[in-house]
């Protein structure tokens, strides 16, 4: 998953709320008791996670909102003519105290969620949106911003400063600054409802993922699973008061082994259906109506802002620019991907017949028999390879690549900084000149309050204070396979790639060097380039030699096993590509609607659209609409295509290293750092890519990497 950051109120989802002032007055009564309201005395200025409560975050956020209102009032009442410093910089600085609270709270709400945190999220969401509304719809403030924008040609500002002005001006316009008052009020109401519906969707999905269980009574039903997977299922059952049984929830680390290795077809079916149907089970956490309302309200908002559909509004700020460009890319890949998936289905049918099954494969057969077919074709067993993929060793490989490419070194911090989670680890990250570049936290194991998936976020974004760079505090959050009673935390191939992926986002955060936070963000369909290109080093022989050691003997990964992996690595890409593209299509299809039919059933809509495209019925989208956090929870709305869009870039970009014959070529690495990792969003994504590569990307490398062409 992408980088996940605490939102700035500039450009956030917006809505209207009342009653902030009274809450802030109460917040001021106990300022001295809240460490978020004082300068941190911890090493590197890291916040005291271990001392903060939901009440502290609430107090700090409410006070930050009030401080920002005061700052905005000071800007608009300033009698001096608008300038870059007294308007643009003052506006950016107005949110600093608020963002300190949010950048600490939101990462924890996602990884250590509790009822208190979820309640606070519901309270803060409309308040923060109201702040944004009040800013972008403030006519006096917009008049000053526009005056600075109109004077850019003769301003004498540097490139980064001009970009900041343009970003802020565009954000005002795109969030309704030019709308008449009546339409601004409509926009406020739309934003209110959209914001709260997205939040409710996310909280429903958190519950459905962590609290939907499939229970097994007999050990014999678990044949094919590793002892470690069986032990974890027994531990989960005991935690749920079902000692002597085995339970699986819908976290991938729990349910995926069943789908891939368990011989019991009926159990696979139960787990598969439970996973796919999250959010559409007719219970209190059913999100079908929420999703339909979101589609309708997003369309209304887009039309209010002068766009024909929601996707057109959203893509206006992306590399793709228009829905037609997204469909063009997806369509180029869809046909060869479906053809490859149908080849795989033939292999699955052969394997099923070996078990006496003459029926058509179903969705719950795909992973299991695809794994068997891969073993039969290539004599490759992923479970054997995983014995060489112990998580701490893998992390050494992740750090090794960063060292070889960019000269980074890592020093673990064990006692000097607060821990927000007992299993999280922290490192100081040093640049090649031995200067401190960043602080890095890893948070790799699943737990009840953690959302599904993997992401990178920050507790403090890179910034400048008094002319000095302040290092970011970055965290990778994943749900990797934990240790069991008799084995350390051995990882799947997919988990290893995820570790390298999320660390690519971390590298992007480490190396960003912008003076203004308003130019730090890149386009959503560019943001996955640093993460996805970093995956390419994960299974290179030189890197494997560093970290792939057998967990018992310490022996290096045998050459024969690596050769088998390389031969088998592209097998199953038909399925993987089709399930991804299917989700991307549905995301776009919902948001290019120019009219939303009354009583829209999002699940039937999904089925109809994919059937029209000829998807094999055994393949569901990677996420079905009611558990599709990327689009329905916000963030990647009309944007899930971004991963494949960025894959065109990363596949072509890795070729720049391979063409030199050295995957650690320092000249290429330096160009990537200079033009992609460091400048934030000072240029548009394609300009940055061309600066790095010297040309626009071609799709050929992606198709070859996925085995879709020779």
């Amino acid at each position: 998953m992408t980088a996940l950051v605490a939102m700035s109120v500039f450009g956030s989802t917006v809505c209207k709320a009342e009653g902030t002032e009274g809450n802030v007055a109460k917040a001021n009564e106990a300022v001295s008791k809240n460490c978020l309201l004082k300068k941190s005395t911890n090493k590197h200025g890291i916040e005291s996670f271990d001392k903060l409560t939901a009440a502290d975050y609430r107090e700090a956020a409410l006070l930050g909102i009030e401080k920002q209102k005061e700052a905005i009032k000071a800007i608009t009442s300033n009698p001096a003519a608008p300038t870059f410093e007294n308007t643009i910089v003052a506006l950016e600085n107005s949110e600093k105290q608020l963002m300190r609270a949010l950048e600490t709270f939101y990462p924890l709400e996602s990884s250590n969620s509790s009822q208190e945190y979820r309640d606070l999220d519901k309270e803060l969401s409309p308040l923060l949106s109201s702040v944004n509304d009040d800013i972008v719809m403030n006519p006096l403030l917009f008049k000053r911003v526009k005056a600075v924008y109109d004077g850019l040609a003769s301003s004498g500002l540097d490139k980064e400063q001009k970009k900041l002005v343009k970003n802020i001006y565009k954000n005002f316009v795109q969030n309704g600054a030019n709308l008449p008052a009546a339409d601004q009020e409509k926009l406020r109401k739309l934003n209110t409802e959209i914001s709260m519906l997205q939040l409710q969707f996310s909280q429903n999905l958190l519950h459905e993922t962590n609290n939907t269980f499939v229970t097994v009574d007999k050990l014999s039903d678990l044949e094919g699973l590793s002892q470690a997977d069986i032990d974890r299922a027994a531990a989960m059952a005991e935690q749920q008061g079902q000692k002597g049984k085995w339970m699986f929830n819908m976290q991938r680390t729990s349910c995926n082994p069943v789908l891939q290795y368990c011989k019991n077809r009926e159990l696979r079916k139960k787990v598969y259906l439970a996973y796919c149907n999250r959010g559409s089970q007719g219970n209190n956490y059913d999100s079908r109506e929420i999703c339909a309302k979101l589609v309708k309200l997003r369309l209304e908002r887009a039309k209010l802002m002068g766009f024909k559909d929601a996707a057109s509004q959203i893509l206006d700020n992306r590399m793709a620019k228009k829905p037609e460009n997204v469909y063009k890319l997806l369509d180029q890949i869809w046909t060869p991907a479906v053809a490859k998936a149908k080849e795989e289905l033939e292999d699955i049918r052969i394997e099923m017949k070996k078990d006496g099954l003459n029926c058509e494969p179903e969705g719950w057969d795909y992973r299991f028999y695809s794994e068997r077919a891969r073993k039969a074709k290539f004599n490759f067993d992923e479970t054997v390879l995983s014995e060489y993929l112990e998580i701490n060793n893998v992390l050494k490989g992740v750090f090794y690549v960063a060292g070889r490419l960019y000269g980074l070194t890592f020093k673990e911090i064990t006692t000097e900084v607060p821990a927000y989670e007992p299993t999280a680890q922290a490192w100081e990250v040093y640049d090649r000149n031995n200067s401190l570049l960043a602080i890095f936290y890893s948070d790799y194991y699943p737990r009840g309050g953690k959302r599904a998936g993997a992401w990178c976020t920050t507790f403090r974004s890179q910034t400048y204070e008094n002319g000095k760079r302040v290092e970011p505090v970055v965290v990778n959050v994943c749900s990797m396979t934990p240790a069991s009673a008799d084995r350390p935390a051995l990882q799947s191939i997919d988990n290893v790639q995820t570790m390298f992926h999320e660390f690519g986002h971390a590298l992007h955060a480490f190396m960003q060097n912008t003076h203004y936070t308003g130019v730090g963000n890149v386009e959503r369909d560019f943001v996955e380039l640093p993460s996805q290109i970093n995956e390419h080093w994960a299974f290179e022989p030189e890197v494997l030699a560093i970290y792939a050691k057998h967990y018992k003997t310490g022996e290096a990964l045998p050459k024969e096993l690596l050769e088998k992996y390389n031969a088998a690595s592209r097998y199953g890409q038909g399925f993987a590509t089709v399930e991804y593209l299917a989700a991307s299509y549905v995301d776009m299809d919902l948001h290019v609607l120019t009219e939303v039919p009354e009583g829209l059933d999002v699940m039937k809509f999904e089925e109809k659209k994919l059937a029209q495209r000829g998807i094999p019925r055994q393949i569901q989208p990677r996420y079905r609409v009611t558990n599709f956090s990327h689009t329905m929870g916000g963030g990647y709305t009309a944007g899930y295509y971004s991963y494949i869009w960025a894959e065109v870039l990363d596949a072509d970009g890795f070729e720049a290293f391979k063409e030199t014959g050295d995957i650690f070529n320092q000249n290429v690495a330096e160009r990537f750092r200079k033009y992609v990792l460091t400048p934030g969003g000072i240029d548009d994504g394609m300009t940055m890519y061309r600066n790095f590569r010297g040309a626009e990307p071609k799709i050929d490398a992606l198709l070859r990497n996925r085995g879709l062409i020779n």
Side-chain angles (χ1 to χ4, degrees):
M1 185 182 258
T2 186
L4 176 74
V5 295
M7 66 178 180
S8 163
V9 293
F10 301 123
S12 63
T13 304
V14 291
C15 59
K16 169 107 173 142
E18 304 293 342
T20 306
E21 289 77 7
N23 291 331
V24 173
K26 293 178 182 178
N28 279 310
E29 294 175 2
V31 168
S32 63
K33 297 179 182 179
N34 187 339
C35 58
L36 266 178
L37 304 182
K38 308 174 190 176
K39 184 177 177 63
S40 172
T41 59
N42 298 322
K43 188 173 185 180
H44 305 307
I46 295 172
E47 304 295 356
S48 299
F49 308 114
D50 51 339
K51 297 178 182 177
L52 290 166
T53 65
D56 292 328
Y57 290 121
R58 180 180 187 273
E59 179 183 38
L62 294 179
L63 185 61
I65 290 172
E66 187 64 19
K67 290 291 185 182
Q68 185 167 42
K69 288 182 177 181
E70 293 171 2
I72 298 300
K73 185 176 181 180
I75 296 170
T76 57
S77 61
N78 189 341
T83 66
F84 178 75
E85 290 293 334
N86 71 19
T87 299
I88 302 301
V89 174
L91 178 56
E92 177 161 281
N93 289 341
S94 70
E95 67 175 357
K96 280 190 173 181
Q97 188 162 338
L98 174 59
M99 286 307 298
R100 180 183 172 191
L102 299 185
E103 277 198 307
T104 312
F105 170 67
Y106 279 119
L108 295 179
E109 197 281 329
S110 297
S111 62
N112 280 5
S113 184
S114 64
Q115 189 59 52
E116 290 81 4
Y117 282 2
R118 291 191 288 275
D119 289 343
L120 178 58
D121 198 359
K122 285 183 178 180
E123 179 183 357
L124 288 180
S125 183
L127 294 177
L128 295 171
S129 298
S130 179
V131 172
N132 189 79
D133 272 345
D134 292 340
I135 291 172
V136 298
M137 297 181 192
N138 183 324
L140 295 177
L141 183 59
F142 181 53
K143 183 179 180 181
R144 292 183 68 90
V145 169
K146 187 175 186 301
V148 179
Y149 175 79
D150 289 342
L152 275 181
S154 58
S155 65
L157 298 176
D158 65 26
K159 183 177 180 179
E160 185 179 356
Q161 292 168 332
K162 287 181 178 179
K163 180 67 171 179
L164 177 63
V165 175
K166 291 175 182 177
N167 284 354
I168 288 178
Y169 175 77
K170 187 174 183 179
N171 183 65
F172 270 76
V173 173
Q174 291 182 333
N175 282 279
N178 280 328
L179 290 177
D183 284 346
Q184 285 185 344
E185 189 57 33
K186 290 179 183 177
L187 184 59
R188 287 177 182 267
K189 291 178 180 178
L190 285 170
N191 286 330
T192 300
E193 195 166 358
I194 289 170
S195 175
M196 297 309 294
L197 285 170
Q198 288 179 168
L199 179 59
Q200 187 59 56
F201 174 92
S202 297
Q203 295 194 354
N204 283 356
L205 181 56
L206 176 66
H207 185 278
E208 286 281 270
T209 299
N210 291 334
N211 297 286
T212 298
F213 297 99
V214 173
T215 304
V216 175
D217 297 323
K218 297 186 298 182
L219 180 61
S220 58
D221 287 340
L222 304 181
E223 184 182 357
L225 291 181
S226 70
Q227 189 59 49
D229 290 325
I230 292 171
D231 291 345
R232 281 189 286 271
M236 184 175 290
E238 187 169 355
Q239 291 168 4
Q240 297 299 318
Q242 297 287 318
K243 188 175 182 179
K245 297 184 180 183
W246 298 265
M247 293 179 74
F248 303 90
N249 70 5
M250 297 303 110
Q251 286 279 0
R252 285 186 177 270
T253 53
S254 180
C255 64
N256 271 9
V258 176
L259 297 175
Q260 192 164 357
Y261 300 115
C262 187
K263 293 183 178 180
N264 187 315
R265 192 171 188 238
E266 188 60 30
L267 178 57
R268 295 200 310 270
K269 178 180 179 180
K270 289 179 181 178
V271 170
Y272 177 84
L273 293 177
Y275 181 84
C276 291
N277 293 331
R278 288 172 298 154
S280 60
Q281 302 185 86
N283 56 20
N284 291 335
Y285 303 95
D286 194 301
S287 291
R288 282 174 289 189
E289 288 189 12
I290 290 175
C291 295
K293 287 180 182 177
L294 280 170
V295 173
K296 181 175 182 291
L297 295 174
R298 287 168 178 167
L299 175 59
E300 288 182 23
R301 180 168 63 184
K303 288 185 173 181
L304 187 63
M305 295 303 298
F307 293 89
K308 66 177 181 178
D309 55 55
S312 295
Q313 181 188 20
I314 293 164
L315 293 176
D316 191 51
N317 279 332
R318 307 283 167 82
M319 290 179 72
K321 299 302 181 188
K322 298 178 180 179
E324 294 84 355
N325 294 332
V326 175
Y327 282 114
K328 180 179 178 181
L329 173 63
L330 300 181
D331 290 347
Q332 286 182 74
I333 306 169
W334 178 254
T335 299
V338 170
K340 184 64 67 174
K342 288 180 178 178
E343 289 179 21
E344 294 165 4
L345 276 168
E346 285 302 312
D347 294 339
I348 287 170
R349 291 185 180 98
I350 292 170
E351 292 300 319
M352 290 179 68
K353 286 180 180 178
K354 293 178 183 179
D355 286 348
L357 296 172
N358 293 311
C359 55
E360 268 294 285
E362 300 293 345
W364 47 90
D365 295 317
Y366 211 112
R367 291 181 185 272
F368 178 76
Y369 284 107
S370 179
E371 179 67 18
R372 282 238 315 235
R374 182 166 68 164
K375 287 181 182 178
K377 280 177 171 288
F378 305 102
N379 192 27
F380 173 70
D381 186 344
E382 182 175 346
T383 61
V384 175
L385 180 58
S386 72
E387 294 180 355
Y388 294 82
L389 305 179
E390 192 274 326
I391 194 167
N392 293 303
N393 285 338
V394 175
L395 190 57
K396 291 177 183 177
V398 171
F399 287 169
Y400 172 79
V401 170
R404 286 294 309 277
L405 287 172
Y406 310 113
L408 305 190
T409 54
F410 301 83
K411 179 183 177 183
E412 187 170 5
I413 317 170
T414 54
T415 58
E416 300 96 328
V417 298
Y420 76 92
E421 157 61 30
T423 63
Q425 296 173 272
W427 284 266
E428 294 168 332
V429 184
Y430 290 94
D431 211 340
R432 56 167 48 98
N433 63 359
N434 294 320
S435 63
L436 183 65
L437 186 66
I439 306 300
F440 174 65
Y441 279 88
S442 66
D443 177 5
Y444 283 143
Y445 299 113
R447 52 185 175 271
K450 182 183 281 191
R451 293 182 182 178
W455 59 91
C456 179
T457 186
T458 58
F459 287 118
R460 182 177 68 220
S461 299
Q462 177 270 321
T463 187
Y464 270 79
E465 287 186 7
N466 302 318
K468 182 180 178 182
R469 184 181 187 272
V470 178
E471 67 276 0
V473 180
V474 184
V475 57
N476 280 177
V477 187
C478 308
S479 291
M480 299 300 174
T481 305
S484 62
D486 64 339
R487 286 190 171 198
L490 303 179
Q491 302 306 309
S492 66
I493 292 169
D494 183 64
N495 282 357
V496 170
Q497 291 170 330
T498 297
M499 288 176 67
F500 276 82
H501 177 104
E502 296 306 332
F503 197 76
H505 283 307
L507 288 169
H508 200 184
F510 294 166
M511 295 181 187
Q512 179 179 306
N513 191 23
T514 59
H515 293 80
Y516 306 100
T517 57
V519 295
N521 292 332
V522 299
E523 295 112 312
R524 178 67 74 184
D525 41 10
F526 185 81
V527 75
E528 295 299 333
L529 170 58
S531 56
Q532 292 180 185
I533 199 170
N534 205 55
E535 292 180 45
H536 287 272
W537 280 268
F539 286 93
E540 286 290 327
E542 183 177 343
V543 181
L544 287 167
I546 298 298
Y547 76 83
K549 313 289 185 182
H550 195 275
Y551 80 98
K552 285 184 178 178
T553 66
E555 71 168 320
L557 184 71
K559 182 180 179 181
E560 180 185 6
L561 184 55
L562 176 57
E563 289 173 347
K564 289 179 180 179
Y565 163 72
N566 287 332
S569 61
R570 292 173 182 169
Y571 189 78
Q573 279 298 313
F575 169 83
T577 306
V578 168
E579 68 161 5
Y580 165 77
L581 293 176
S584 300
Y585 274 123
V586 172
D587 175 30
M588 291 299 300
D589 291 343
L590 285 167
H591 293 103
V592 296
L593 289 173
T594 55
E595 297 293 336
V596 177
E598 193 67 33
L600 172 67
D601 185 322
V602 292
M603 306 306 280
K604 290 182 179 178
F605 177 91
E606 172 189 281
E607 292 173 2
K608 179 180 178 181
K609 286 292 184 179
L610 293 177
Q612 289 173 348
R613 288 191 171 92
I615 188 173
R617 68 176 184 82
Q618 295 88 352
I619 305 178
Q620 294 282 5
R622 185 169 297 174
Y623 306 102
R624 303 200 70 192
V625 176
T626 57
N627 48 68
F628 200 170
S629 179
H630 295 75
T631 185
M632 290 302 159
Y636 274 74
T637 302
Y640 193 59
Y641 76 90
S642 298
Y643 292 92
I644 205 82
W645 185 280
E647 190 176 340
V648 175
L649 305 180
D650 78 67
D652 184 78
F654 190 61
E655 291 290 307
F657 288 91
K658 293 175 66 177
E659 287 164 4
T660 70
D662 178 8
I663 61 170
F664 292 109
N665 183 282
Q666 291 299 287
N667 290 330
V668 180
E670 182 55 33
R671 289 205 312 271
F672 191 76
R673 178 173 183 165
K674 178 180 180 180
Y675 294 119
V676 175
L677 298 179
T678 299
I682 196 167
D683 288 310
D684 65 83
M686 190 55 74
T687 297
M688 288 194 287
Y689 188 82
R690 282 196 302 263
N691 289 341
F692 156 63
R693 190 72 165 102
E696 292 196 3
K698 299 181 176 65
I699 197 173
D700 305 52
L702 178 150
L703 296 174
R704 285 195 302 270
N705 288 349
R706 286 182 173 256
L708 303 180
I709 63 172
N710 295 322

